[in-house]
Amino acid sequence: TGVTGIGLGLARQTSRPWVRRLAPLAGLAGAIALHSLWNAGASAGLAFFAVYVVIMMPALLALLVTAGIALMFEGKIIRTQLAGEAAAGLFSADEFDRLCSVRGRLHASVSAFRQGGIRGWRARKAYHHAASELAFLRRRAQHDRVAADPVQEAGYLRALGAPEPAPAAPAPTASPDVTPVQPGP
């Protein structure tokens, strides 16, 4: 499943059409091959341990490294896309740094759990989720050239603690019995 996910992720993030077409197929083929090796090893008696050590452990390590790289990529996207909110004061400098690093988010989540239990951890998780979703929403609008979604963006900003925008003042309308003044010659 992880290998299939890597293929789909590569297809989603690339701008190369051939990678977009082949990466999901390569991911699926890799997953099928690993599953076949697992089954073959399981039915081969002690050879299972050789398959496990030589193939499955490195595959697991590769998946963990890929997950780490993806989380670092997410941090870079957050740093790029939410820099304006950080400059405007929505996040403190420390909070912004925590949002932009794997270690920072992990430390913030552990601290939230220590201080507020499951409820605190869930609140922190929702905060991180809102920041990530807002950053990726904006990136999709730029990278994929799709229309921005101001309603969704406003929802994520509210979840991050941004103040509600002031309602726009209504445009002045002329009453029907008043004739506008024309400028003189």
Side-chain angles (χ1 to χ4, degrees):
T1 304
V3 177
T4 303
I6 290 170
L8 292 171
L10 285 173
R12 174 70 183 94
Q13 296 301 326
T14 189
S15 59
R16 297 182 180 129
W18 66 272
V19 174
R20 196 169 279 159
R21 284 189 297 274
L22 292 180
L25 296 173
L28 180 61
I32 291 169
L34 284 173
H35 192 76
S36 296
L37 282 170
W38 179 266
N39 288 346
S43 64
L46 290 177
F48 169 76
F49 293 106
V51 169
Y52 188 76
V53 170
V54 173
I55 296 171
M56 296 304 162
M57 291 299 290
L60 176 62
L61 180 62
L63 285 173
L64 293 174
V65 167
T66 302
I69 290 169
L71 288 170
M72 288 189 292
F73 176 72
E74 181 177 345
K76 287 179 184 177
I77 297 297
I78 291 171
R79 183 170 300 282
T80 302
Q81 297 297 328
L82 302 186
E85 280 72 20
L90 180 59
F91 312 112
S92 69
D94 288 340
E95 180 64 32
F96 189 59
D97 286 341
R98 278 191 295 273
L99 280 172
C100 297
S101 80
V102 176
R103 182 176 285 152
R105 282 179 278 174
L106 181 60
H107 183 268
S109 294
V110 169
S111 295
F113 181 75
R114 282 188 192 142
Q115 294 171 0
I118 291 290
R119 182 174 286 175
W121 175 79
R122 283 184 179 154
R124 176 51 65 168
K125 180 180 170 189
Y127 186 80
H128 290 168
H129 179 76
S132 295
E133 289 297 320
L134 176 59
F136 278 99
L137 178 72
R138 289 178 175 172
R139 184 176 188 279
R140 280 189 297 274
Q142 285 179 342
H143 186 263
D144 298 340
R145 293 177 177 82
V146 297
D149 187 343
V151 173
Q152 207 172 15
E153 186 168 322
Y156 291 135
L157 285 167
R158 274 192 308 279
L160 293 170
E164 290 287 328
T173 58
S175 80
D177 58 336
V178 177
T179 307
V181 177
Q182 298 294 325

